[in-house]
Amino acid sequence: QVQLVESGGGMVQAGGSLRVSCTVSGRTFSNYAMGWFRQAPGKEREVVATISRNGDNTYYADSVKGRFTISRDNAKNTVYLQMNSLKPEDTAVYSCAVARWPRTVGGALPSLYDYWGQGTQVTVSS
């Protein structure tokens, strides 16, 4: 059974930083791309960042480029999202997801991922 467990969300003032983590079990982590997505109230889920299985390919939504960094530690089965210079519009539930197929570079579409974490709330106050 594949499980994804996120941690590290919370509340921060605008301009602050947070790091969220996601640990995966039940799948050979190093074979799969990973993604971070977010969903704000009343809005559709959107991609934040993705990373290939070995970390050499990353993708960022335009809204977070230069502020967020996705990384992974295959020895720990964990993917991270470092969020700096946070803005109130970054407030959302952040979820990690593991790619549906092995040895792909990931992608921005949620349908490319088949297992999801429960989500962690990130709230940025102005």
Side-chain angles (χ1 to χ4, degrees):
Q1 181 180 359
V2 180
Q3 290 187 317
L4 290 76
V5 179
E6 295 124 342
S7 60
M11 185 177 293
V12 66
Q13 288 189 331
S17 298
L18 282 174
R19 188 177 81 159
V20 291
S21 304
C22 170
T23 300
V24 180
S25 60
R27 181 167 280 185
T28 305
F29 182 74
S30 59
N31 282 348
Y32 291 85
M34 295 292 299
W36 281 100
F37 293 78
R38 67 185 182 187
Q39 188 167 20
K43 294 188 177 181
E44 292 190 357
R45 178 183 285 170
E46 63 176 359
V47 66
V48 177
T50 68
I51 187 167
S52 60
R53 62 191 183 104
N54 56 10
D56 59 354
N57 280 289
T58 57
Y59 166 87
Y60 295 94
D62 287 343
S63 58
V64 306
K65 277 182 183 175
R67 300 188 298 121
F68 290 12
T69 302
I70 189 171
S71 62
R72 64 190 295 159
D73 185 339
N74 286 346
K76 296 182 178 179
N77 288 3
T78 300
V79 61
Y80 306 95
L81 184 68
Q82 177 67 43
M83 301 180 287
N84 298 329
S85 302
L86 282 160
K87 304 175 180 180
E89 51 263 44
D90 294 319
T91 295
V93 174
Y94 285 71
S95 300
C96 61
V98 59
R100 187 178 300 274
W101 297 285
R103 294 178 288 278
T104 60
V105 297
L109 296 176
S111 60
L112 294 173
Y113 302 82
D114 59 350
Y115 287 95
W116 296 76
Q118 80 284 359
T120 185
Q121 178 70 45
V122 171
T123 302
V124 185
S125 61
S126 57

